[in-house]
Amino acid sequence: MAKWTPKHEAPEPLEGPVVATITGGTILWFVLFLVQVPFYGWFDDRDLTWWVWTCLAGAGLGLIGIWYVRKRDAAIKRHAAAQADEAAQAPQTPEARPGA
């Protein structure tokens, strides 16, 4: 069997509003939990309480996700600012003139 080799380079990863996406998902999980809580007896009668607790777990893990992506976003911005500062402080070298 021949080893697989890619025919082209992988595209750059897409960056979007990651913090807003994770926050929205976390809110959605928590709202789903709150909607299901009044019907806990119905879920319990049918042995489906895992639906309720899955929503709560999603909200809890979402809080960890919000913390993580906010730290990541801040680190990316710090890195970009540091690179911009380095580029601004780099000594400008005169270009060599032909014939000089």
Side-chain angles (χ1 to χ4, degrees), residues 5-90:
T5 56
K7 295 180 183 176
H8 51 57
E9 292 184 30
E12 290 292 320
L14 297 174
E15 286 291 330
V18 180
V19 176
T21 302
I22 300 300
T23 303
T26 302
I27 291 169
L28 182 62
W29 278 115
F30 191 67
V31 167
L32 288 171
F33 170 73
L34 291 177
V35 167
Q36 291 179 356
V37 167
F39 303 102
Y40 189 82
W42 185 89
F43 286 105
D44 194 31
D45 292 343
R46 288 158 181 80
D47 201 27
L48 296 173
T49 56
W50 64 270
W51 284 39
V52 178
W53 301 119
T54 299
C55 293
L56 185 61
L61 291 173
L63 291 174
I64 295 170
I66 291 170
W67 172 79
Y68 177 80
V69 295
R70 289 184 70 198
K71 296 280 254 178
R72 178 183 177 269
D73 194 43
I76 290 171
K77 287 178 182 176
R78 275 194 315 269
H79 180 70
Q83 282 186 332
D85 286 346
E86 286 178 13
Q89 293 176 359

